Amino acid sequence: QLLTIKPVLYVDTVSEGGFENNPHLTSIKDFAEVENSEVVAICAEIEAQISKLDIQEKQEFLSEMGQNESGLDKLIKAGYKLLGLQTYFTAGPEEGRAWTINIGDRAQRAAGNIHGDFEKGFIRAETISYDEFIENGGEKGSKEVGTLRSEGQEYIGQEGDILDCL
């Protein structure tokens, strides 16, 4: 009985032409809607073709098919959403990494994902939105125009924020 209250994500495999006018897919979507669940349709043939393309060719291929992202990308996003997770990135001179945290985690907790000492010693984060970062030519330009802000331990990051944890 407890399994029935768990959130569900339905993944439907379809043929290349099976995204439109597919009664099977329609019935699964109708069933999922009653449960307030999500359906992701994936075509294995298309995913195999996409996996062999570079980024630009992949975007052109998807555009020709009337899609903006691959089925695998949709599945990953739907899975993260279902589990209440999000990704944040760190970058430095030697490496860039992706980290997974719960949606709603505070910046202090996110810093602790990298290293426990970062969470314990977290004081504040200098924060700027990605758009402002690009518009102002980086961190230095953002400081000059006053769009760089200081956020404390209770701060919950927003999508696209760039943080420098202190």
Side-chain angles (χ1 to χ4, degrees):
Q1 296 283 351
L2 291 178
L3 290 178
T4 60
I5 62 172
K6 297 278 185 189
V8 176
L9 171 64
Y10 294 95
V11 181
D12 190 8
T13 56
V14 298
S15 64
E16 280 190 52
F19 292 100
E20 301 290 327
N21 301 320
N22 181 337
H24 175 69
L25 179 58
T26 301
S27 78
I28 290 176
K29 286 182 176 180
D30 291 344
F31 182 80
E33 187 177 336
V34 171
E35 293 184 343
N36 199 24
S37 296
E38 191 169 345
V39 177
V40 177
I42 296 180
C43 175
E45 296 167 25
I46 292 173
E47 296 302 312
Q49 292 173 24
I50 289 172
S51 71
K52 297 174 185 169
L53 302 175
D54 67 35
I55 294 172
Q56 184 176 355
E57 291 173 325
K58 175 183 172 181
Q59 288 304 319
E60 290 171 8
F61 181 83
L62 289 170
S63 180
E64 288 173 13
M65 303 233 12
Q67 299 180 25
N68 57 357
E69 62 185 342
S70 72
L72 182 59
D73 290 342
K74 290 176 187 175
L75 179 60
I76 291 167
K77 288 179 181 179
Y80 262 59
K81 179 181 170 186
L82 180 77
L83 297 170
L85 301 174
Q86 65 184 5
T87 302
Y88 75 96
F89 300 92
T90 57
E94 294 181 24
E95 73 173 343
R97 287 197 55 187
W99 306 84
T100 301
I101 59 173
N102 295 309
I103 293 173
D105 278 354
R106 294 182 178 101
Q108 181 177 10
R109 175 68 194 108
N113 241 13
I114 299 168
H115 194 287
D117 288 347
F118 290 175
E119 185 172 5
K120 292 175 190 167
F122 184 92
I123 299 169
R124 70 180 190 284
E126 290 186 342
T127 309
I128 183 170
S129 75
Y130 173 79
D131 292 336
E132 291 170 336
F133 181 87
I134 296 300
E135 184 180 311
N136 298 316
E139 188 176 341
K140 183 177 179 186
S142 297
K143 276 184 183 179
E144 290 171 0
V145 297
T147 57
L148 188 70
R149 61 190 190 277
S150 184
E151 301 286 354
Q153 293 182 351
E154 300 300 312
Y155 179 69
I156 297 173
Q158 304 299 310
E159 186 173 344
D161 277 357
I162 298 172
L163 284 79
D164 185 8
C165 297
L166 307 170

